[in-house]
Amino acid sequence: MCGIVGYVGEKNAQDFLISGLKRLEYRGYDSAGIVTLAEDGEATLIRAKGKISNLEEKMAKAKRSDKTGIGHTRWATHGEPSERNAHPHKAGKIYLVHNGIIENYKELKNELKDFDFQSETDTEVLAALIASFYKDGEHPLLNAVVQALKLAKGTYGIAVVSENNPDEIVVARAGSPLVIGVGHDETFVASDASALVGHTKQAIYLNDGEVARVTKNSVEIKTLNAEPVSAKVEEIETNLAAIQKGGYEHFLLKEIMEQPESLTETLRGRIHKEEGTVRLGGPGLSEAELRKIKHLVIVGCGTAYHAGLLAGYYIEQFTPEITIETVIASEYRYRHAYIPKDAVALIVSQSGETADTLACLREIKKQGIKTIGIVNAIGSTIAREVDGGTYVHVGPEISVASTKAFTSQVIAMVMFGLTIAQAKGVRSSMLKPYIDEIAVLPEEIGKVLEEATEPVKRIADKYKTYEHAIYLGRDTAYPTAMEGALKLKEISYVDANAYAFGELKHGPLALIDDRFFEVAFLPKGDLYEKAISNVQEVLARGGKMIVVTNRDCDLAVEDVVKITTDIEIFAPILMNLASQLLAYYMTTAKGYNVDQPRNLAKSVTVE
Ligand code: F6R
């Protein structure tokens, strides 16, 4: 989704803006732009459709040594991707970059009849509104921004500069993140702390309803109602290596391969194999509060939703007298669902900024229900608004397709379930197999990645021309199938859908023909034989099936991915690695952009 950067200091602003925008490329965008201001206020505005490299080409012909500027990567919402619609937008002497949506932009536009609009965007309307309020006096830019924002409805993270005030940037947020990086004689602005890594470790996260005037050595924050806010400076934990490819061709492959380490970080200090216990500090619930939990509502979107589904299957296996409902945030936010008072909601989000998930969190809190975040991005909005939480600590996930976060989200939620079970007095012999397997899971993931990579690569090559796929599983292998299908469709554009094995006869079986291949997940266990019968039904209709299993497989299927492991309970998580690799290698075989699939963005901050 859109990205914002800004710089005011002693160094070349263009250099920081371009490098910052490149850091935000992973979020997805279709155009980009920067504006810088010389000491006398002369502005240089450069915008380009498409990749940042296009912007750089234009910048090479307009090199400046200006020391103040703002930049943006745009993911189109109002108006097609084009140079005209790219940010920064100019109104008089004002330049604005904006993430989010100004919902009442049409009404505001009607009021601004004299302004000659150049674009179709809501952002240009906000720029014109700010310009209309600009009047000389103390802090004229700040005052103009505040007056305009009081009229604007919707979500925004903005950065604004003016030719009249070339040594300051004004920023504000409502529903779209903004972070201010504090350096020595320089201050940075970004919508995502990863743009600041390597420049400063000191960050101030703006809260909704706050606006700040930023110069090279000052940050003044106040609310839109003019109440002063004392800035809380926090440490940025990310290091440079975490946001680089580290020798891999794509971030996606790096992120798949680093799961042994990223899961180890999730488990650190939390899983105690010898004692057979799990200890989570973050949720902040007492034993008595944990004992009282009767319902879990798990909320997420996309992969986070699938992680919630899978975790729900596990938690209900070992936690008595508890009901679990895993819901899609974009649906749940508009349902009139009653949540019992003895419920706890798990809010699952890698980015911690997903608009629908955040909206659910706020609704659920209004009902007085305790909320626990299962979040990756430290300091993100969801992480700050939940009552308690467990960070998954997988480090930055740059590739648009979520992989390492999924694995750790599932396990983080299962660990939370285990703490409930412990508090409810579930026998430790019942919980031990889960804890034992979780403790060795990082190592097993490493082994499976090593074993499965080559076979999956060959299979991907074999099926690379197919346009349809069906993923199948039962029980814990069903959410696994759903996640596998999502991964394949989002990066390789194969029309992949998942079904519970038992649902086949209720409709999807009619699809089977030679345009499709099928991927079946067959973990050892009570339901293995039942799943085999379903496999036979598909084979009898000419299906071309890839079986992913941790058993010896003598089925007459096209291909088998053998998962060699002693792990049984969490075998579906290991099988999901095969799905991740299959999606990756199908996509490289087809020659598509692995890390930035078309039409998608990493952090979905609009509804
Ligand atoms: C799929 C994917 C998305 C995200 C979803 C939620 O690979 O990445 O489906 O899982 O947009 O994002 P977060 O977890 O940031 O809330």
Side-chain angles (χ1 to χ4, degrees), residues 301-304 348-352 354 400-402 409 486-487 490 604:
C301 298
T303 289
V348 194
S349 177
Q350 186 286 125
S351 64
T354 302
V400 164
S402 186
Q409 284 162 344
L486 174 63
K487 216 80 322 171
E490 71 172 316
V604 184

Side-chain angles (χ1 to χ4, degrees), residues 470-487 497-499 501 518-524 527-528 530-532 534-535 545-551 555 561 563 571-580 582:
I470 290 178
Y471 281 61
L472 296 159
R474 259 179 194 274
D475 196 62
T476 48
Y478 174 45
T480 308
M482 294 168 83
E483 175 55 13
L486 174 63
K487 216 80 322 171
N497 288 297
Y499 302 100
F501 262 128
E518 296 81 33
V519 184
F521 299 92
L522 301 179
K524 281 180 195 171
L527 298 173
Y528 180 82
K530 283 201 189 304
I532 292 297
N534 300 128
V535 167
M545 188 173 279
I546 304 163
V547 161
V548 184
T549 183
N550 54 342
R551 277 183 58 149
L555 291 161
V561 180
I563 306 288
I573 291 200
L574 299 176
M575 294 179 179
N576 185 55
L577 304 172
S579 294
Q580 295 174 346
L582 183 62

